[in-house]
Amino acid sequence: MAETGPLILVIEDEPQIHRFLRATLPSHGYRVIEAMTGEAGLLTAGEKQPDLIILDLGLPDMDGLEVTRRLRQWTATPILVLSARGQEQDKVAALDLGADDYLTKPFGVAELLARIRVALRHAVRADGSQGPPVFTSGHLRVDLVRQQVFIDGEEVHLTATEYKLLALLVRHAGKVLTHQQLLREVWGPQYSVESHYLRIYMGQLRHKLEKDPTRPRLLRTETGVGYRLLVE
């Protein structure tokens, strides 16, 4: 049983999910506290100050989106949302409200642990500064100070917009960014519905950065939601 590891708050009303997480997380070095309702989860988050929150969207007393909105009024604690299949718009809404990532039920242990690790690493970077000025993942290296991009040591030329899009993904590496978030940050709020811009520029980035653009390993599509830069 973990006694000093990161503290995870699980806000979920399904007993079987609680049992699964209660059995899984401590054996991998995490401490777990639980809440069965949104209101109880908000109170527990305030009292216990967890390192990460796992939040179900379908709670008995209030929508998980409302819980996310209220949490983001006072805390930057990473939020990993659980959603049922077919809740694509809810995933997008949760991420736009400030959730860090999502898992679709049912999910496996390996995927859950990977998402937790990434969320906690991202939280450490956000709490410190802007993270390291040189980002590496697999064959990709991005020097954020010099604004240079390398593949296997060879510099790759990107347009200003391509680099702005890649740099945004790098700063949030491992985290899902929605179409609206990417469009708003790269092109401006007036372009928040121009999703074809993203398809075009992501395609261009993949052709320049991926070994096989048709099977991207780094620049991953989250269907109906957005994109994620994988951390290897």
Side-chain angles (χ1 to χ4, degrees):
M1 182 70 70
E3 296 181 357
T4 60
L7 180 63
I8 296 179
L9 168 60
V10 179
I11 308 176
E12 165 69 73
D13 67 325
E14 293 185 33
Q16 61 269 36
I17 297 292
H18 277 289
R19 287 194 296 270
F20 169 71
L21 296 177
R22 200 182 302 134
T24 301
L25 296 179
S27 65
H28 288 84
Y30 300 106
R31 294 174 293 147
V32 179
I33 50 176
E34 303 172 340
M36 299 291 286
T37 67
E39 195 63 46
L42 289 166
L43 291 172
T44 304
E47 293 171 359
K48 301 296 185 180
Q49 299 289 304
D51 297 296
L52 180 138
I53 297 169
I54 295 178
L55 171 66
D56 184 20
L57 292 182
L59 297 168
D61 60 332
M62 71 173 70
D63 194 293
L65 298 177
E66 175 64 12
V67 177
T68 303
R69 186 188 68 79
R70 289 173 60 178
L71 284 168
R72 281 294 174 255
Q73 289 176 350
W74 61 271
T75 181
T77 299
I79 300 172
L80 177 56
V81 162
L82 302 183
S83 65
R85 295 191 183 278
Q87 292 182 322
E88 213 163 75
Q89 291 307 309
D90 285 344
K91 295 174 190 173
V92 172
L95 292 165
D96 280 337
L97 284 169
D100 293 78
D101 203 350
Y102 70 88
L103 273 174
T104 299
K105 298 178 181 178
F107 52 85
V109 173
E111 184 179 16
L112 169 67
L113 295 173
R115 300 294 177 89
I116 288 174
R117 288 193 299 270
V118 168
L120 290 172
R121 281 202 303 269
H122 186 262
V124 169
R125 288 201 304 271
D127 187 54
S129 58
Q130 294 299 312
V134 177
F135 168 85
T136 58
S137 182
H139 59 275
L140 171 68
R141 182 163 68 91
V142 182
D143 188 325
L144 293 168
V145 175
R146 296 177 177 81
Q147 297 189 359
Q148 293 176 305
V149 179
F150 301 87
I151 294 294
D152 292 328
E154 296 290 326
E155 186 170 2
V156 177
H157 173 73
L158 301 182
T159 67
T161 302
E162 288 169 351
Y163 179 80
K164 192 174 181 181
L165 177 58
L166 177 62
L168 180 60
L169 289 163
V170 165
R171 288 196 297 273
H172 298 277
K175 178 179 176 180
V176 179
L177 294 178
T178 68
H179 300 125
Q180 290 83 358
Q181 288 171 323
L182 290 165
L183 288 164
R184 197 165 52 237
E185 292 293 327
V186 176
W187 284 274
Q190 67 271 32
Y191 293 92
S192 61
V193 295
E194 305 290 345
S195 58
H196 62 283
Y197 281 29
L198 271 180
R199 287 195 298 273
I200 292 170
Y201 278 88
M202 287 300 295
Q204 292 172 186
L205 278 177
R206 283 170 172 160
H207 275 283
K208 292 182 178 183
L209 305 180
E210 297 280 3
K211 298 287 189 183
D212 182 356
T214 64
R215 296 181 179 179
R217 291 184 49 132
L218 291 170
L219 300 169
R220 300 296 291 271
T221 298
E222 298 288 337
T223 305
V225 177
Y227 297 93
R228 180 200 310 266
L229 175 61
L230 292 193
V231 180
E232 294 185 351

